[in-house]
Each structure stands twice: as C-alpha cells, then as structure tokens.
C-alpha cells in the first residue's frame, strides 16, 4: 500500500508539477508494524533498474516485480515473526514509500519466523508493488 507521504508527493507532482525524485530505494522488514532492529538487521538497497515492466494485477491495478533475489544478512539474534515489508528512501529513517503484509504463494497473509542464524530472502519476482 502506498504511504500517505508518497501519495502526497504523487498528487503534488501530477496536479501542481512539484518536482519529486527518489534517489535510492531500500526494503525493510517489520514485526507487528515495527521495523526489525538489532541482530545484524539492516535494510537492503534495491537496484532501480531491476524492476519489471508493469503488468495488470489479478486483484486490480498494476504490479511491478523486483526481478532479482534480495537476501538479508544472517540474523545474529532473533528477529521474530516477520509479517510486513516496506520500501523506504533511506538506509535508516527516511520516508516509507510502500508497505505490505508478507504473502504466501496463494496471496494469503503469512509470517516468517527468523531466529538466530536465519536469513530472510525474497526470491526473484517475489517482491512486488501493486498500484491500484
């Protein structure tokens, strides 16, 4: 889901011509709406050239998939039950652009437990942004 920050920037760009650019995009993980912290966690920077061409989304709207695998560092302490991801414009802090629940292959909300020694991986084309 698009953040209020990004919705405001989009409307200002389209309706008033206000300039807006996102230089970098990072993906982060959340547990219960709170970003994971500690245990070797860090947001992963995404290559803006690795997003697929937008296509129609079965649930309505358009979708773009990230075409490369994204692997987070190995957890040195438990991260917990990851239930959401987000895209932001900075490696820490910054502005959230999109956020979504983690989905299973059937599109149902799910959680992925990451304990000590675990890693979180988005396989190629698993990370997606839907615009409705």
């Amino acid at each position: 889901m698009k953040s209020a920050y990004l919705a405001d920037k989009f409307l200002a760009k389209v309706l008033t011509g206000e300039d807006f650019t996102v230089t970098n995009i990072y993906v982060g993980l959340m547990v219960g709406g709170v970003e994971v912290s500690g245990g070797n966690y860090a947001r992963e920077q995404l290559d803006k050239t690795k997003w697929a061409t937008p296509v129609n989304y079965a649930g309505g709207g358009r979708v773009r998939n990230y075409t490369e695998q994204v692997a987070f560092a190995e957890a040195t302490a438990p991260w917990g039950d990851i239930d959401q991801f987000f895209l932001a414009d900075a490696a820490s802090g910054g502005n959230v652009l999109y956020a979504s629940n983690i989905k299973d292959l059937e599109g149902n909300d799910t959680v992925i437990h990451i304990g000590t020694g675990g890693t979180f991986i988005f396989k190629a084309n698993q990370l997606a942004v839907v615009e409705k």
Side-chain angles (χ1 to χ4, degrees), residues 116-130:
T116 302
T119 58
F120 188 98
I121 297 173
F122 287 105
K123 294 179 182 174
N125 295 304
Q126 276 188 324
L127 179 58
V129 174
V130 176

Side-chain angles (χ1 to χ4, degrees), residues 7-8 19 24 30-31 33 42 53-55 59 61 65 69 75 100 106 116:
D8 290 347
D19 193 31
N24 296 303
M30 293 189 284
V31 174
T53 302
V55 295
N65 293 51
Q69 176 174 291
S100 179
E106 286 78 41
T116 302

Side-chain angles (χ1 to χ4, degrees), residues 48-67:
K48 290 169 74 172
T49 68
K50 302 298 182 181
W51 290 95
T53 302
V55 295
N56 289 331
Y57 181 63
R62 303 284 281 169
V63 62
R64 283 187 97 149
N65 293 51
Y66 194 71
T67 61

Side-chain angles (χ1 to χ4, degrees), residues 18-131:
E18 181 180 306
D19 193 31
F20 174 66
T21 302
V22 175
T23 304
N24 296 303
I25 300 174
Y26 298 84
V27 61
L29 305 173
M30 293 189 284
V31 174
V34 177
E35 185 172 9
V36 172
S37 64
N40 201 34
Y41 167 80
R43 296 177 188 174
E44 292 293 322
Q45 187 170 6
L46 302 177
D47 180 340
K48 290 169 74 172
T49 68
K50 302 298 182 181
W51 290 95
T53 302
V55 295
N56 289 331
Y57 181 63
R62 303 284 281 169
V63 62
R64 283 187 97 149
N65 293 51
Y66 194 71
T67 61
E68 299 289 318
Q69 176 174 291
V70 179
F72 286 79
E74 182 177 308
T76 59
W79 292 356
D81 293 329
I82 308 300
D83 60 356
Q84 294 177 307
F85 75 92
F86 64 94
L87 301 180
D89 62 5
S92 64
N95 301 291
V96 171
L97 306 172
Y98 287 93
S100 179
N101 292 339
I102 301 293
K103 305 284 187 182
D104 63 19
L105 295 175
E106 286 78 41
N108 301 306
D109 291 350
T110 191
V111 298
I112 299 174
H113 180 79
I114 303 295
T116 302
T119 58
F120 188 98
I121 297 173
F122 287 105
K123 294 179 182 174
N125 295 304
Q126 276 188 324
L127 179 58
V129 174
V130 176
E131 185 68 33

